[in-house]
Amino acid sequence: MDEPTIQLTRETFGNIPPSSVVAFYVMAVASVLVFCWGVWRRWKLWRQGKPISVREILTGNFARLKPRLGRLLKEGLGQKRVRGRGLASWAHVMMFAGFMMLFLGTTLLEVDHLAAKVSEKFHFHHGWYYVIYEGALDVFGLLFIIGISLFVWRRMRRPGSLGHRASDWTVLGLFLGIGVTGYFVEGLRIVWDQPVGLALWCSPVGAGLAKLFGGMSEATSRSAHLAVWWVHSLMVFGFFAMIPFTRLLHLITGPANLFFSTPSLGQLTPISIEAVEETGVVGVSEIAHLDQQQLLSLDACMECGRCDDACPAFASGKPLSPKAVVQDLKGLMETTALGQAAALHGDTIHAETIWACTSCSACVTACPVRVDPLGLLFELRRDRAAEGALAGSAANSMRQMQTKGNPWGFPQAERLAWADGLDVPLASDHPDFEILWWVGCAGSFDRRAQKVTRSIAKLLLKAGVNFAVLGPNECCTGDSARRLGDEFLFQELAEKNHATLKQHGVRKILTQCPHCMNSLTHDYPQFGDKFEVVHHTEFLQQLIDDGKLAAPERTGSVTYHDPCYLARVNGVHQAPRDLLGDGISEMEQRREKTFCCGAGGGRMWMEEEADQRVSVLRAKEAIETGAETVAVGCPFCLTMMTDGVKSCGSGAKVEDVAENLAKRLGL
């Protein structure tokens, strides 16, 4: 007698009465309508902002769409920016992978069901496809449950940087219920359906659960299956309906923000005088001054706290939480729509919060969905600066920048005083130079930084580099002015420097200050010519590679502090290490994930409370490596790390990478 053929398939609505199927679709439509209504309510909030050219973005050529689609694939589906944070990352990746596979599986099952209604030949949920389908969903369902369980455990520990709402437990409970009841539905189906062989074991978890229900009669198992199926379905409908009203909204806003955001580390959007004359607006003083993508990004925030964990101002006890800035603006967006808005400045965001930022971009790179707290703070600073709210030592430095051409207030005639006794050529006397050395204000006027400048000069002269400096014709790039919100002072300085650079036909620039480097690389092309800009550590390493300088062995232990605007913003972190040689005692926070010294964003020119110094936190990390020398690649970092090391009572020496190399070469 022939054995019965194993049926590698199952009914989509097996054991479900027609009336229940109708009710299922009615409730499905209802949940989708609630979902759409909720998203529409949020969309109306985003519409309060300045319009963005959505049509232009979507209908642009593929070259313009490619990076946006790439972010969706790599950072959205690939979870690139989620990974690398221990338990939280593993939990999210497992939950996300499980959710996406279960969602895809449910969608394919419904497509098969509807296709079979048209014609049985369109039915594809059978055979080896069915085996792979069932096995994959069983495995990914487990990942989903494990991920949710890890999140439950994490929330029970209540980490301080993580946002907490009562609805979070509802969402986690709902997710866990969906995962568990899904397996129970499968197990009970197996009890009454009695599949055998591969048809049974292609669902290993369901088959295992079926053994627990093995004593049930067919009638009992069918009744239990129908009841659990309804519980499972109601949970799924509840999930869809809840998305726009809970953190689950980031399922929509997260990918949308990844697509519509414009990554711009180290860059700010310029403001024109004409636009200000037309609108009377500089920066942001009310929610309507933000654009629609920025308002969308407020809803993309999950309050995961990564930005707070990465923020040096937050770590040092300053009154700044990037997460709170985003959430406070989100609250203002909601109350503004209701006509109950408080003042943005003062009531919603305090002045101390705005000025506490070091503009290190750590919060920007930490966010999994590219929410940009730094960009929001820059816009708030612009408004405050335009209103004359910048005061104290920072305001004095800006005045000196405008009147003297540098924040120290020294006469321009003294810009070349550091070169006394060195044969440093001026661009005006040596017009056939190949590279212009932009010394910068710190390198020209700060007494400690002048020693670095002299070391670089000696190295360039020894290597026979055909270079020149501008001397008294060099003005501050205006980087600090722009980061402090004084856009038009920056533009005034940039215009003057552009004219000087054009006069000398400059195409390639060497800098020793990462802030000057960033400004010349990212800011200046917005107003004129684009230059090839190289940091002195890169240039010196190239001289060694070309055989123009030797690379003697290093003596003594050394650690290296990566400047934010060099490593994180502009991606330069290997050249300084190559110059220092092998065996560097590395700090935990390094390269693109470096920790700020505290001087960026104009904080160099502000007074600080002794117990809120970012430099002390970074100095402690450097000292803990046990290194005798702390090397840096930025004049601001040189100042801050020197102060920080002294405050810690350490005898470690702080020096620039160029000083270290010059010393080893006996220069």
Side-chain angles (χ1 to χ4, degrees), residues 511-526:
T511 67
Q512 66 198 72
C513 174
H515 298 271
C516 293
M517 174 188 177
N518 183 78
S519 196
L520 292 166
T521 301
H522 297 300
D523 293 336
Y524 274 47
Q526 296 175 339

Side-chain angles (χ1 to χ4, degrees), residues 553-635:
E553 290 294 322
R554 189 186 70 243
T555 57
S557 57
V558 62
T559 188
Y560 176 66
H561 161 73
D562 288 282
C564 297
Y565 273 80
L566 187 63
R568 180 182 291 113
V569 176
N570 286 287
V572 178
H573 46 73
Q574 187 56 45
R577 288 171 169 79
D578 291 341
L579 286 173
L580 291 170
D582 297 331
I584 295 175
S585 301
E586 293 280 15
M587 289 182 263
E588 181 178 350
Q589 299 178 93
R590 60 185 183 272
R591 298 185 185 265
E592 291 95 339
K593 295 184 178 180
T594 185
F595 191 84
C596 187
C597 74
R603 292 292 310 178
M604 178 71 178
W605 318 112
M606 295 182 179
E607 299 296 331
E608 283 198 301
E609 297 292 335
D611 60 347
Q612 294 182 353
R613 291 177 180 171
V614 175
S615 60
V616 173
L617 297 180
R618 185 55 166 171
K620 286 179 179 178
E621 187 176 0
I623 293 167
E624 286 171 0
T625 66
E628 300 167 349
T629 300
V630 179
V632 300
C634 169

Side-chain angles (χ1 to χ4, degrees), residues 325-658:
V325 168
V326 172
Q327 290 301 311
D328 288 344
L329 289 174
K330 177 180 177 179
L332 183 63
M333 174 178 70
E334 294 169 343
T335 56
T336 299
L338 298 173
Q340 304 168 356
L344 193 160
H345 291 284
D347 293 338
T348 305
I349 308 292
H350 298 296
E352 311 86 68
T353 296
I354 295 172
W355 301 119
C357 178
T358 66
S359 78
C360 68
S361 294
C363 60
V364 183
T365 57
C367 181
V369 292
R370 291 189 179 271
V371 178
D372 186 3
L374 177 58
L376 299 171
L377 287 168
F378 276 146
E379 293 298 337
L380 299 179
R381 282 186 172 189
R382 282 175 165 175
D383 175 83
R384 294 295 80 198
E387 294 296 322
L390 181 62
S393 56
N396 184 55
S397 294
M398 295 307 101
R399 283 192 294 271
Q400 292 179 150
M401 197 180 293
Q402 185 171 31
T403 58
K404 301 290 188 179
N406 67 86
W408 274 270
F410 288 110
Q412 283 291 92
E414 297 181 14
R415 267 200 181 263
L416 205 57
W418 61 266
D420 185 37
L422 297 174
D423 188 18
V424 176
L426 279 169
S428 56
D429 300 331
H430 182 55
D432 59 342
F433 61 87
E434 294 178 359
I435 185 168
L436 179 80
W437 177 15
W438 189 277
V439 178
C441 298
S444 298
F445 298 115
D446 181 83
R447 290 190 177 183
R448 177 63 186 88
Q450 284 177 340
K451 296 179 181 179
V452 178
T453 309
R454 289 182 65 85
S455 293
I456 295 174
K458 292 175 182 178
L459 291 165
L460 296 179
L461 291 169
K462 181 176 179 60
V465 177
N466 183 10
F467 73 97
V469 299
L470 291 173
N473 291 324
E474 179 185 298
C475 281
C476 182
T477 60
D479 168 82
S480 291
R482 196 174 209 196
R483 269 71 198 170
L484 282 170
D486 197 337
E487 174 70 11
F488 295 116
L489 172 55
F490 160 74
Q491 291 188 20
E492 178 185 330
L493 293 166
E495 183 179 353
K496 184 175 182 180
N497 284 325
H498 259 301
T500 302
L501 294 170
K502 186 174 183 179
Q503 175 188 344
H504 293 286
V506 175
R507 304 310 310 161
K508 186 173 183 178
I509 301 175
L510 168 67
T511 67
Q512 66 198 72
C513 174
H515 298 271
C516 293
M517 174 188 177
N518 183 78
S519 196
L520 292 166
T521 301
H522 297 300
D523 293 336
Y524 274 47
Q526 296 175 339
F527 303 95
D529 295 334
K530 186 175 183 179
F531 310 101
E532 179 186 351
V533 186
V534 60
H535 188 252
H536 73 279
T537 56
E538 295 178 288
F539 193 73
L540 293 174
Q541 182 57 43
Q542 188 61 53
L543 292 177
I544 291 175
D545 292 341
D546 293 342
K548 296 180 180 180
L549 284 177
E553 290 294 322
R554 189 186 70 243
T555 57
S557 57
V558 62
T559 188
Y560 176 66
H561 161 73
D562 288 282
C564 297
Y565 273 80
L566 187 63
R568 180 182 291 113
V569 176
N570 286 287
V572 178
H573 46 73
Q574 187 56 45
R577 288 171 169 79
D578 291 341
L579 286 173
L580 291 170
D582 297 331
I584 295 175
S585 301
E586 293 280 15
M587 289 182 263
E588 181 178 350
Q589 299 178 93
R590 60 185 183 272
R591 298 185 185 265
E592 291 95 339
K593 295 184 178 180
T594 185
F595 191 84
C596 187
C597 74
R603 292 292 310 178
M604 178 71 178
W605 318 112
M606 295 182 179
E607 299 296 331
E608 283 198 301
E609 297 292 335
D611 60 347
Q612 294 182 353
R613 291 177 180 171
V614 175
S615 60
V616 173
L617 297 180
R618 185 55 166 171
K620 286 179 179 178
E621 187 176 0
I623 293 167
E624 286 171 0
T625 66
E628 300 167 349
T629 300
V630 179
V632 300
C634 169
F636 288 1
C637 293
L638 182 64
T639 298
M640 303 302 275
M641 292 301 288
T642 299
D643 292 345
V645 168
K646 286 182 179 178
S647 296
C648 294
S650 170
K653 183 177 182 179
V654 182
E655 63 184 14
D656 190 272
V657 173

